[in-house]
Amino acid sequence: MSVEVFEADLDGTGLRVGVVQARFNAEVCETLRQACLDELLALGVAEEDIFVCTVPGALEIPLALQQLAGTREFDALVALGAVIRGETYHFEVVSNESAAGVSRVALESSIPVANAVLTANTDAQAVERAAQKGAEAARVAVEMANLAASIATLAAPPEDDEEGR
């Protein structure tokens, strides 16, 4: 059986990417941001085509993403944040609601959203994972933006042939 499998590429040339970064757990979030920006640039996204805004914490990320998605100016969005387990149930509430909100924005807007809101048991775990996850988020954003653009061409009406059909 010969089934064609399409895989999007990681060429960020011409893409516009919006990044929303939480400030809570600042050290981790700044590492996430720097790794994400470095990788977006390495993938060919132009510096002037990257927009970054910050919000207080992980629970505020979905609203900012939704507002960016509503502009229809971005090919992909990235969520950056860190939720680190404490001694109360608050960790579960914040991590679950943030993740659900990020997913909702992607599904409702049809704009890819790379979710790099880390959930970790300790500060050390979050610090250890931050650079890798920031770079991964950039790659996910670019790949999914390219995939979305390719899928959109499947729905495009066929061009007329030379005989006007």
Side-chain angles (χ1 to χ4, degrees):
M1 184 153 126
S2 178
V3 176
E4 183 180 349
V5 176
F6 177 81
E7 292 185 20
D9 62 43
L10 291 172
D11 181 3
T13 306
L15 295 179
R16 294 218 43 194
V17 179
V19 178
V20 177
Q21 176 217 318
R23 293 187 305 271
F24 197 79
N25 294 313
E27 177 187 350
V28 174
C29 293
E30 289 168 13
T31 301
L32 281 164
R33 181 184 66 215
Q34 193 58 57
C36 179
L37 295 177
D38 289 347
E39 188 69 9
L40 286 171
L41 294 170
L43 294 172
V45 179
E47 191 172 322
E48 61 271 12
D49 289 333
I50 301 170
F51 175 83
V52 179
C53 67
T54 66
V55 295
L59 286 176
E60 292 76 33
I61 291 171
L63 178 60
L65 289 170
Q66 182 183 51
Q67 291 172 330
L68 291 178
T71 69
R72 306 309 289 178
E73 291 292 321
F74 299 97
D75 299 296
L77 300 170
V78 178
L80 303 174
V83 184
I84 301 170
R85 187 177 301 278
E87 295 178 12
T88 68
Y89 183 70
H90 189 66
F91 169 85
E92 283 82 4
V93 171
V94 173
S95 58
N96 290 341
E97 291 303 315
S98 176
V102 168
S103 294
R104 242 185 339 271
V105 170
L107 294 172
E108 291 174 1
S109 69
S110 295
I111 296 173
V113 181
N115 187 349
V117 178
L118 295 176
T119 53
N121 288 318
T122 66
D123 290 329
Q125 285 177 343
V127 168
E128 184 179 321
R129 296 172 57 209
Q132 177 185 345
K133 291 300 177 182
E136 285 176 4
R139 290 190 295 274
V140 166
V142 168
E143 181 176 345
M144 291 304 294
N146 288 332
L147 178 62
S150 294
I151 289 172
T153 65
L154 297 175
E159 294 183 25
D160 291 339
D161 63 18
E162 292 178 19
E163 297 176 13
R165 287 185 263 166

